[in-house]
Amino acid sequence: MRSDFRGQWVDAWRSAVRSIRRFAYSAPASHTQKPAVRPRIGLALGGGFARGIAHVGVLKVLIESGITIDAIAGTSAGSIAAAAFASGCTIEEMIAAVHRLRWHKFARWTFSRLGFATNERMESLLPQMLRCRTFEQTKIPLAIVAADLTTGEAVTFREGSLIQPVRASCCFPGLFIPVEYRGHRLVDGVIVGALPVAALRDMDVDVIIGVHLKGNGGSSPPTNFFQVVGESFQIIQDLNQSNWRSGCDLVIEPDVLHARWDDFERADELVAAGEAAARAALPALRHLLKERETRAASASKKAQRTSTPVLEPHASS
């Protein structure tokens, strides 16, 4: 009787040991849901001269809505907003800065065969607006795009001084004298693309949001040479939108058709236009991010199933 009882006890003990081993050598069961993989967001800011003030309104709404910008690229007026944001400026600081912005703050008329004015005053203005002076010091990755007037190619800056690349990217051809920098004769980045989408592709982002500022659109005729040139470039950009639109997952287009290239005194209206456009785009943006998040989570689970081996318990006698 004692022998039978002892045998049953030994069998039970061995069964318990096997259960413990099976638990120890198998993949641990997770009782908590892993945090979702958040898509990395890149923001591409286009040109528009004074209309570029609308970028501040877009950024304001995105930040207030909890949308994290992981990388940012700018061209022309968008390069100033991108550099300010990447350098760590708050939205309040950016709004205060655009209210002070006037033509004489960053440009002066001059006599040259290469332009009617120079924007060299930006070299003293930008250090007052930005919280840092080099790409390496920015809070998030930043790219600034200008155009090489000699080769016709885009020149993307991601390192070194911020001041000269931003100044070059804002150098509207025909109006401003080109900027000589690092062996390039540089002019406004919009010449090679209304939005710097290509610059974001190498910045490890999953979603690209573009902010495009439409021009006058014929609502009223130009009244001077500079408006003629500006609207002519706008027409060219509108006819070549496929190059950058195809690279955007979402495009935000503030209603700035009412504003001229030099309407700096309408800062409040332009900021409001950016805010309105961003708010209108939020549902589509949230849906896009949720879709990418779900896709990334699904891919992660699939990779985990195929790459994680199931460990079998050792045989016991």
Side-chain angles (χ1 to χ4, degrees):
M1 190 74 172
R2 286 184 178 179
S3 177
D4 291 342
F5 176 78
R6 183 177 181 180
Q8 292 174 1
W9 185 87
V10 170
D11 289 341
W13 181 82
R14 286 178 175 175
S15 177
V17 169
R18 284 196 296 269
S19 297
I20 293 172
R21 284 180 173 176
R22 188 176 297 111
F23 175 80
Y25 285 101
S26 62
S30 175
H31 298 287
T32 58
Q33 188 176 4
K34 291 185 177 181
V37 180
R38 181 183 65 80
R40 286 177 54 81
I41 300 174
L43 189 65
L45 305 183
F49 229 90
R51 300 179 190 116
I53 294 172
H55 288 313
V56 180
V58 173
L59 285 165
K60 181 175 183 289
V61 170
L62 293 180
I63 298 307
E64 290 176 348
S65 303
I67 304 298
T68 300
I69 307 302
D70 299 288
I72 192 166
T75 192
S76 194
S79 70
I80 302 176
F85 183 75
S87 75
C89 288
T90 65
I91 296 300
E92 291 72 23
E93 289 171 334
M94 294 174 71
I95 291 176
V98 298
H99 276 99
R100 296 190 301 266
L101 198 59
R102 294 294 185 272
W103 166 267
H104 69 274
K105 296 279 189 178
F106 61 86
R108 66 176 177 83
W109 301 108
T110 187
F111 296 99
S112 172
R113 292 178 296 176
L114 299 177
F116 290 95
T118 174
N119 65 358
E120 62 184 7
R121 287 180 177 172
M122 290 185 73
E123 294 184 20
S124 59
L125 174 66
L126 289 173
Q128 300 173 29
M129 298 176 64
L130 309 180
R131 283 197 170 185
C132 64
R133 296 195 181 189
T134 69
F135 284 86
E136 290 78 9
Q137 295 171 328
T138 57
K139 303 298 183 183
I140 62 172
L142 167 69
I144 299 297
V145 179
D148 188 310
L149 192 60
T150 303
T151 65
E153 297 176 341
V155 181
T156 302
F157 296 95
R158 293 192 179 92
E159 59 183 19
S161 171
L162 283 172
I163 308 304
Q164 291 297 332
V166 172
R167 180 190 164 199
S169 187
C170 295
C171 194
F172 198 80
L175 174 58
F176 292 124
I177 299 171
V179 173
E180 304 285 345
Y181 184 61
R182 291 187 181 178
H184 299 282
R185 176 168 286 184
L186 299 167
V187 293
D188 201 307
V190 298
I191 302 302
V192 289
L195 265 67
V197 174
L200 284 173
R201 293 186 186 127
D202 299 326
M203 299 176 74
D204 190 29
V205 296
D206 305 303
V207 174
I208 295 179
I209 305 170
V211 183
H212 180 232
L213 307 174
K214 291 183 178 181
N216 182 262
S219 60
S220 60
T223 58
N224 57 54
F225 165 79
F226 305 109
Q227 291 177 1
V228 169
V229 174
E231 299 308 332
S232 297
F233 275 108
Q234 185 68 52
I235 292 171
I236 294 172
Q237 291 173 32
D238 290 344
L239 292 175
N240 293 278
Q241 294 186 43
S242 59
N243 293 332
W244 58 266
R245 279 192 184 272
S246 60
C248 291
D249 297 290
L250 179 72
V251 178
I252 299 175
E253 295 185 284
D255 182 8
V256 292
L257 294 178
H258 61 282
R260 288 293 190 181
W261 69 280
D262 56 350
D263 277 342
F264 296 103
E265 70 279 0
R266 302 176 76 170
D268 286 331
E269 296 175 47
L270 292 166
V271 171
E275 290 184 59
R279 287 198 186 93
L282 275 178
L285 176 56
R286 293 192 189 283
H287 177 77
L288 172 64
L289 296 179
K290 185 64 177 178
E291 182 184 69
R292 294 297 173 87
E293 185 179 290
T294 302
R295 188 187 305 174
S298 177
S300 177
K301 288 180 181 177
K302 183 177 180 181
Q304 192 175 33
R305 285 198 301 268
T306 57
S307 63
T308 303
V310 177
L311 301 177
E312 296 294 339
H314 296 293
S316 67
S317 56

